[in-house]
Amino acid sequence: MEEKRILLSHGSGGLMTRELIERHMLKQFENPMLSLLNDQAVFRTPSSRLAFTTDSYVIDPIFFPGGDIGKLAVCGTVNDLAMSGAMPLYLSCALIIEEGFLFSDLERIIISMRDACEEAGVQIVTGDTKVVNRGGLDKIFINTSGVGALQDGLHICGHMARVGDKILVSGFLGDHEIAILSRRKNLEFITHILSDSAPLNLVVGPLIQAGLGQYLHAMRDPTRGGLATILNEIAGQSQVGVLIEEDLVPIRDEVKGACEIMGFDPLYLANEGKLVAFVDGQKADEVLSLMRQTKYGQEARIIGEVVAEPKSVVQLRTAIGGTRILDILTTEQLPRIC
Amino acid sequence: MEEKRILLSHGSGGLMTRELIERHMLKQFENPMLSLLNDQAVFRTPSSRLAFTTDSYVIDPIFFPGGDIGKLAVCGTVNDLAMSGAMPLYLSCALIIEEGFLFSDLERIIISMRDACEEAGVQIVTGDTKVVNRGGLDKIFINTSGVGALQDGLHICGHMARVGDKILVSGFLGDHEIAILSRRKNLEFITHILSDSAPLNLVVGPLIQAGLGQYLHAMRDPTRGGLATILNEIAGQSQVGVLIEEDLVPIRDEVKGACEIMGFDPLYLANEGKLVAFVDGQKADEVLSLMRQTKYGQEARIIGEVVAEPKSVVQLRTAIGGTRILDILTTEQLPRIC
């Protein structure tokens, strides 16, 4: 029996679009706002101070060890909200699907999005579905945008890092990119590395609830471009120097090994469930201790600090005692990583 | 001299992404929130009651008579907010670009988005840029999501149409789809039809400011699927009947002519700058009169009314006096229309 596939008319805006939405989306994402089937969601937020973000996901392959494009699309946008200290509330879900895409794959992605929403405590309240002729895109792209509510008094921003801040990472770096790479290149020697895709509001929320939000000066998730790139971004935005201890950066041996073989630098690898926080030096141990009690922060550690000079420069003190400058990513290591 | 083109590394998240954003996006979309270059925008809204919407734009061709994908992406999302009665405030802009896309075309699209934002009175405050390998998508797709502020007491919703409501359209129907068709099929006999792409908050805003918002029961813009489809949607959601007078539906002769040649039904044609409003029968003339004073509502008219029976059915009284049932669109007339 032939498997059911997406047709152009599923993107027509007519009857087949409605059936696709009612039978496949609403069933999984069920909530009163979405069920109204208006072209927009209407809601009240606990605060009129909001964070708003968007990301498109074009990852290849769409299913990979540790996740899929659907999980990524929910977690990635939740994480961009969480990095401002906001409580993620509502997401949009816009699908662009290639004609001929398998319904069974779509179902798998939607269920994965539903599960990720449940874990992150967010709801998909509005959406859009387009179908493009065969060859017009590669399989499926997903855009999620998100709205979160932000407490007064929180000003976590790339410009707010200060001299004396400690720099924390929430766990092992590089797993996501190596997991994708292993799948894409059929690298069978990489067997245990899963994408780290995870909702980071589960790491940040407890810090803010504990009253530590004011000590988080800058926070960002090191996705494309990896740790080195976002450290450079924040050093530049805050006009400070950054000094990192190579020995302290948590990277799995298997990831290091894969990098050596492929000629990659692990400090530039993309992550999808890690954060880097610039934390007031006086409170860094307290933040670290609480972060390590969260599900996705168990391997958190302090990897370096903010220094006065040289401004806008990231330095790495290597294991053998020298220092080298870590620049921003200039050429892509692996396209379509998220 | 070879023209400058988008490379995969413009989507890396590293240096070239930053240059692309700073030199091309920030220059046009300049505003304090975007300039912070965080992964999310933070703002206060005038109300904690919000509307939130998303749409992806995959239109082919990307430049067409009366607009382009950029103008469409701004107006389409502004319109979905405006249809709830919300004041559109902030948009996101997520670009997915094919490797090799011309910088000059990107620049043209971004300037068009900037101009549309200016006219609509909205700001692009957050964004994302992905580049996909050649052949991974057809040229460029744009997702915009939007946030708007909603007054208390406004409940404009597809479920709120009532028996006795008058049905208004804000102008000529079908121009957008025929403009796209003319360009796609090189139909040279269609010379004067431009896409109607326009920001409909300029039509709805004055109605709400005049205190007429409470008389707008349901409102929707007839994009994919056209007038017939959205009338069916609202008839079904509100469990009412809809009766339309064919003679009263404003369609240009040139659009009717093109439809006859192509075998299209103009009532199913997509629009990008028109709205259909279900308005309290007692206030319909007042709403119409004010709507006709707005730039994009000058050709507004009443085309029918809401009746008790048959529920969920849309009937068209034809020019020669019979009635026929207008069903929801079942097969697509033209793919990639928005």
Side-chain angles (χ1 to χ4, degrees):
Chain A
M1 209 178 80
E2 185 119 4
E3 275 202 88
K4 206 178 158 199
R5 290 177 185 273
I6 292 285
L7 307 174
L8 276 178
S9 45
H10 285 114
S12 66
L15 193 64
M16 289 184 68
T17 305
R18 191 204 281 182
E19 284 177 5
L20 174 68
I21 290 168
E22 289 185 355
R23 292 192 196 158
H24 295 268
M25 318 282 180
L26 287 188
K27 195 175 124 194
Q28 303 299 344
F29 298 152
E30 198 188 353
N31 63 65
M33 273 173 275
L34 200 60
S35 306
L36 283 176
L37 287 175
N38 287 322
D39 288 337
Q40 69 296 114
V42 170
F43 48 77
R44 276 187 197 281
T45 53
S47 151
S48 65
R49 189 161 177 249
L50 302 173
F52 176 39
T53 193
T54 192
D55 257 326
S56 297
Y57 300 85
V58 299
I59 193 163
D60 173 34
I62 55 175
F63 300 104
F64 47 81
D68 57 54
I69 191 171
K71 182 181 184 187
L72 204 66
V74 170
C75 293
T77 292
V78 161
N79 292 350
D80 279 347
L81 293 173
M83 292 306 97
S84 71
M87 179 170 68
L89 296 170
Y90 301 115
L91 300 192
S92 61
C93 168
L95 306 176
I96 311 178
I97 311 174
E98 186 183 18
E99 178 190 12
F101 193 71
L102 285 174
F103 259 89
S104 54
D105 282 346
L106 181 63
E107 188 82 4
R108 204 173 145 193
I109 290 167
I110 289 172
I111 288 172
S112 172
M113 293 185 82
R114 177 203 65 188
D115 292 347
C117 284
E118 272 181 25
E119 183 177 18
V122 297
Q123 289 186 308
I124 290 173
V125 294
T126 189
D128 175 53
T129 304
K130 296 288 191 305
V131 180
V132 170
N133 50 298
R134 210 178 282 260
L137 85 158
D138 186 18
K139 299 183 200 74
I140 187 167
F141 298 159
I142 302 180
N143 178 283
T144 52
S145 299
V147 173
L150 203 53
Q151 283 179 16
D152 281 336
L154 280 185
H155 297 280
I156 303 168
C157 173
H159 296 71
M160 303 288 280
R162 300 173 208 167
V163 175
D165 281 356
K166 297 293 183 188
I167 300 170
L168 278 69
V169 301
S170 60
F172 288 108
L173 296 179
D175 293 5
H176 175 72
E177 187 153 346
I178 294 299
I180 300 305
L181 186 75
S182 74
R183 186 61 181 265
R184 206 173 313 161
K185 309 243 176 193
N186 275 317
L187 300 181
E188 285 171 10
F189 64 90
I190 304 170
T191 51
H192 302 301
I193 302 297
L194 304 178
S195 165
D196 60 352
S197 177
L200 292 172
N201 58 332
L202 303 190
V203 177
V204 180
L207 302 177
I208 290 172
Q209 283 153 32
L212 293 168
Q214 59 183 304
Y215 305 110
L216 307 173
H217 295 158
M219 210 154 45
R220 201 161 285 173
D221 55 336
T223 55
R224 288 178 293 176
L227 175 70
T229 297
I230 66 124
L231 290 177
N232 270 283
E233 286 173 5
I234 293 174
Q237 289 176 292
S238 296
Q239 287 293 299
V240 294
V242 162
L243 182 61
I244 297 297
E245 303 286 340
E246 186 174 33
D247 270 356
L248 300 180
V249 179
I251 302 166
R252 296 180 205 277
D253 287 341
E254 206 168 357
V255 169
K256 283 183 190 161
C259 281
E260 272 172 31
I261 292 166
M262 306 298 297
F264 283 6
D265 183 335
L267 299 177
Y268 293 87
L269 292 178
N271 310 274
E272 288 293 342
K274 297 293 152 36
L275 65 82
V276 178
F278 288 65
V279 183
D280 187 302
Q282 302 296 316
K283 291 286 182 175
D285 288 334
E286 194 177 337
V287 167
L288 179 66
S289 160
L290 187 49
M291 197 180 277
R292 294 181 72 116
Q293 293 170 39
T294 65
K295 180 174 176 189
Y296 296 112
Q298 292 174 31
E299 300 294 338
R301 57 198 72 181
I302 294 170
I303 61 165
E305 62 185 343
V306 176
V307 294
E309 299 288 343
K311 291 197 199 314
S312 305
V313 171
V314 178
Q315 293 185 91
L316 182 78
R317 191 142 50 201
T318 62
I320 53 164
T323 60
R324 67 175 172 100
I325 289 174
L326 267 190
D327 226 331
I328 190 170
L329 180 72
T330 48
T331 56
E332 190 150 36
Q333 299 198 122
L334 193 67
R336 297 184 65 184
I337 194 68
C338 62
Chain B
M1 209 179 78
E2 184 117 7
E3 274 203 88
K4 205 179 159 198
R5 292 177 184 274
I6 293 285
L7 307 174
L8 276 178
S9 46
H10 285 114
S12 67
L15 193 63
M16 289 183 69
T17 305
R18 189 204 281 183
E19 284 178 5
L20 174 68
I21 290 169
E22 290 185 353
R23 291 190 196 159
H24 294 268
M25 318 282 180
L26 288 188
K27 193 176 126 195
Q28 303 299 344
F29 299 152
E30 198 188 353
N31 64 66
M33 274 172 275
L34 200 59
S35 306
L36 283 176
L37 288 175
N38 287 322
D39 288 338
Q40 69 296 115
V42 169
F43 49 76
R44 276 187 197 282
T45 53
S47 153
S48 65
R49 188 160 177 249
L50 301 173
F52 177 39
T53 192
T54 191
D55 257 325
S56 297
Y57 300 86
V58 299
I59 193 162
D60 174 34
I62 55 176
F63 301 104
F64 47 82
D68 57 54
I69 190 172
K71 182 181 184 186
L72 204 66
V74 170
C75 293
T77 291
V78 161
N79 293 350
D80 280 347
L81 293 173
M83 292 306 97
S84 70
M87 180 171 67
L89 296 170
Y90 300 116
L91 300 191
S92 61
C93 168
L95 305 176
I96 312 178
I97 311 174
E98 186 182 18
E99 178 190 13
F101 192 72
L102 285 174
F103 258 89
S104 55
D105 282 346
L106 181 63
E107 188 83 5
R108 205 174 144 193
I109 290 167
I110 288 172
I111 287 173
S112 172
M113 293 185 82
R114 177 202 66 188
D115 292 347
C117 283
E118 272 181 25
E119 184 177 18
V122 297
Q123 289 185 308
I124 289 173
V125 294
T126 189
D128 176 52
T129 303
K130 296 287 191 306
V131 179
V132 170
N133 50 298
R134 210 178 282 260
L137 86 158
D138 185 19
K139 300 184 201 76
I140 187 168
F141 298 159
I142 302 180
N143 178 283
T144 52
S145 299
V147 173
L150 204 51
Q151 282 180 17
D152 281 336
L154 280 185
H155 297 281
I156 303 168
C157 174
H159 295 71
M160 302 289 278
R162 299 174 209 167
V163 175
D165 281 357
K166 297 292 184 189
I167 300 169
L168 278 68
V169 302
S170 60
F172 288 107
L173 296 179
D175 293 5
H176 175 72
E177 187 152 346
I178 294 299
I180 300 305
L181 186 75
S182 73
R183 187 59 181 266
R184 205 167 322 156
K185 310 245 176 190
N186 274 318
L187 300 181
E188 285 171 11
F189 64 90
I190 304 169
T191 50
H192 301 301
I193 301 297
L194 304 179
S195 166
D196 60 352
S197 177
L200 292 171
N201 57 332
L202 302 190
V203 177
V204 180
L207 302 177
I208 290 171
Q209 282 153 33
L212 293 168
Q214 60 182 303
Y215 306 110
L216 306 172
H217 295 159
M219 211 155 43
R220 201 160 286 173
D221 54 336
T223 55
R224 288 179 293 177
L227 175 70
T229 297
I230 68 125
L231 290 177
N232 270 283
E233 287 173 5
I234 292 174
Q237 288 176 290
S238 296
Q239 288 293 299
V240 294
V242 161
L243 182 62
I244 298 296
E245 303 286 341
E246 187 174 33
D247 271 356
L248 301 180
V249 179
I251 301 167
R252 296 180 204 277
D253 287 341
E254 206 167 357
V255 169
K256 284 183 190 161
C259 281
E260 271 173 32
I261 293 167
M262 306 299 298
F264 283 5
D265 184 335
L267 300 177
Y268 292 87
L269 292 178
N271 309 275
E272 289 292 342
K274 297 292 151 36
L275 66 82
V276 178
F278 288 64
V279 183
D280 187 303
Q282 301 295 315
K283 291 286 182 175
D285 289 334
E286 195 176 335
V287 167
L288 179 66
S289 159
L290 187 50
M291 197 181 275
R292 294 180 71 115
Q293 292 171 40
T294 65
K295 180 173 176 189
Y296 296 112
Q298 292 174 30
E299 300 294 338
R301 58 198 72 182
I302 294 170
I303 60 166
E305 62 184 342
V306 176
V307 294
E309 298 289 344
K311 291 197 199 314
S312 306
V313 171
V314 178
Q315 293 186 90
L316 182 78
R317 189 143 50 201
T318 62
I320 52 165
T323 59
R324 67 174 172 100
I325 288 175
L326 268 189
D327 226 331
I328 189 170
L329 180 72
T330 48
T331 55
E332 189 150 39
Q333 300 199 118
L334 193 67
R336 296 184 65 184
I337 193 68
C338 61

